[in-house]
Amino acid sequence: MDISTALVTGANKGIGKEIARQLVQAGLTVYVGSRDAERAERAVADIGGDAKPLVIDVTDPVSVGAAAERIQTLEVLINNAGVSPSEGKGAQDEDVDTFRRVFETNVFGVVAVTNAFLPVLRRSAHPRIVNISSGTGSLDAAVTEHAGYRGGFASYRSSKVALNALTVFYAQSLAEDGFKINALAPGLRRTDLNAAAAAAGGDPAEAAAGAVRLALLPDDGPTGAFFSWDGTPVAW
């Protein structure tokens, strides 16, 4: 199966950088997406191989459009860029501006980037999209295993619920075009997304391997599904 080129947003650090590294190791040309050109260049230098810097701010339509014009061949899009508020407040304590900021990146940014790159992805024989979600975005888990959050991180978690829904809708509408579109729950990892994740000590490379597995799915692989980093299906 010929999958040779990928784009990872938010790839200058954390899980995104590890995804880019592993895709390069798998033999792909990988565009390392970052809002900042210098950070993208540093990440590319560290990753090595056929990694290429790409300036893209998923919240800026002009930036997204300019990035899309630069790429003529693309088989894999990994929507990894994401933000989270620093405090785990409930819905009643987070203001509307916080919800807007989080959704702007985690939901609207995914729509903007996906739609901008659909034309080039359609030219691929094996188009793949992976949306980096969160296990805390599972409504099933919200009332079972994550009940201890008691509504905390409401803006972040609800944005991932919305992202999961988008994963299903894009997968359904693009199935006849050969797309495989899935969501990944990476688990708590050593990233600076939030303090809890950093304290958890999980290796970002372990989560990245799950994303790479979905990025390189065979044509008979699943679509419109939600998986944990280890390949276990996650309830919506």
Side-chain angles (χ1 to χ4, degrees), residues 6 9 12-13 15 28 31-32 34 43 57 85 87 103 164 175 178-179 208 222:
T9 64
N12 60 283
K13 60 182 180 179
I15 294 172
L28 279 70
Y31 290 93
V32 177
S34 173
D57 180 347
E87 298 180 76
F103 270 68
N164 289 347
F179 280 76

Side-chain angles (χ1 to χ4, degrees), residues 5-89:
T5 309
L7 163 62
V8 186
T9 64
N12 60 283
K13 60 182 180 179
I15 294 172
K17 184 178 178 181
E18 291 304 319
I19 294 171
R21 188 192 308 277
Q22 291 183 27
L23 287 171
V24 166
Q25 291 171 348
L28 279 70
T29 297
V30 181
Y31 290 93
V32 177
S34 173
R35 291 178 297 177
D36 181 84
E38 184 177 344
R39 290 176 182 174
E41 293 283 359
R42 287 201 300 266
V44 164
D46 181 60
I47 293 169
D50 204 5
K52 299 179 181 297
L54 182 72
V55 175
I56 179 169
D57 180 347
V58 304
T59 68
D60 180 357
V62 174
S63 174
V64 172
E69 289 180 0
R70 283 193 54 192
I71 298 180
Q72 302 303 311
T73 301
L74 190 67
E75 284 83 30
V76 175
L77 169 61
I78 299 187
N79 288 307
N80 169 74
V83 298
S84 175
S86 58
E87 298 180 76
K89 295 180 179 179

Side-chain angles (χ1 to χ4, degrees), residues 87-212:
E87 298 180 76
K89 295 180 179 179
Q92 75 279 12
D93 297 316
E94 287 192 310
D95 58 33
V96 173
D97 286 342
T98 298
F99 274 87
R100 286 197 180 105
R101 179 176 65 83
V102 173
F103 270 68
E104 192 66 44
T105 297
N106 297 0
V107 181
F108 308 143
V110 171
V111 173
V113 172
T114 301
N115 289 353
F117 284 92
L118 274 182
V120 66
L121 285 166
R122 286 182 187 276
R123 295 201 290 269
S124 167
H126 313 281
R128 305 288 184 260
I129 299 175
V130 183
N131 294 326
I132 305 303
S133 182
S134 168
T136 67
S138 163
L139 289 175
D140 180 79
V143 296
T144 55
E145 60 185 294
H146 296 307
Y149 280 101
R150 299 188 62 81
F153 291 97
S155 60
Y156 175 78
R157 294 170 67 196
S158 61
S159 75
K160 294 302 186 178
V161 172
L163 177 60
N164 289 347
L166 284 173
T167 300
V168 173
F169 302 152
Y170 272 108
Q172 290 173 339
S173 61
L174 294 170
E176 293 185 1
D177 296 329
F179 280 76
K180 300 295 181 183
I181 306 174
N182 296 287
L184 179 80
L188 291 174
R189 301 295 164 183
R190 288 193 308 271
T191 72
D192 56 9
L193 186 64
N194 60 60
D203 187 354
E206 190 175 54
V212 170

